[in-house]
Amino acid sequence: MNKSLTLIALAASIGTVQAAGTSLSNTQFAFTGVNGNTTVGGWSFVSFVDIAAGTTIYFTDTNVLQTTSAAGVFSTTAETFWSWTASAKVNAGTSVALLGTGVNGQYAAKSGTAGGTANGVVVNLNGGASNISSGGDILYAFQAASYATNYQASAITFLGALSNRGTYTSSDNPTAATGLSGIQLREYKVDAATATRYTQFTAQVTTNDAPFSSMAQLKSALAVNANWTTVAGSNSTPIVADVLAVTAVPEPESYALMLAGLAVMGGVARRRLRG
């Protein structure tokens, strides 16, 4: 009897087991907003898969070299690097916002609906100032095993980029350097001449909107420029978190866990019948 209860408890708990951190690919991530104001600005992003507590994502506005040098991926004139580490699970389709605290280069994180609630720790890793300018800058998101100002190409996974460049030189072309394209590379310069400091996915600005019914719908909407609110010039419009999409059916990982639990319970039932 005790064995049966133990196995049943194990089966019930299988569906809640999470890894210490989630490894993302660039097809599972997209930026959803940025405000380049140095003290009250920030940026936001969404993952199309669940992000487990303990997951770390790095951000930098340092140039990425198109032709990787022996020294590593990033320019030797490093700007600022930040890390965000989730303290609680972020469901797929829920955006995370890194919000300026009023101190240059310092941010606090929120996730969830209608502006979000505090989630995770943001660290300024090299003490640099926030310098996401109104023209000619790129912010990258990436994952790596640990923090460093330079990486070999095989040691880093680029997830997304926000670009206010318009044009690129051979040394800092984000597409050529990282392989990012489509919604993973958000261009927010209004035109060839008009610099901007703010853009955000409009469904995230109006946090009372109903979420998209699937990740596929969200991805399609993110790709349409008309679905973004972009403001020319510096401003203090807040970057907010929101629930942007809901998963209509269980993700493949959920199916696998559910089937594993059913298999254990089936084994328990067979043993009880034989007993």
Side-chain angles (χ1 to χ4, degrees), residues 4 28 57 73 207-208:
S4 296
Q28 298 170 333
I57 298 174
V73 173
T207 55
N208 59 343

Side-chain angles (χ1 to χ4, degrees), residues 5 65-66 72 105 112 115 121 142 161 169 171 176 193 200 228 247 254 262:
L5 289 174
L65 302 178
Q66 179 175 341
V121 177
F142 64 94
T169 68
S171 64
Q200 190 163 29
W228 291 73
T247 306
S254 301
L262 290 173

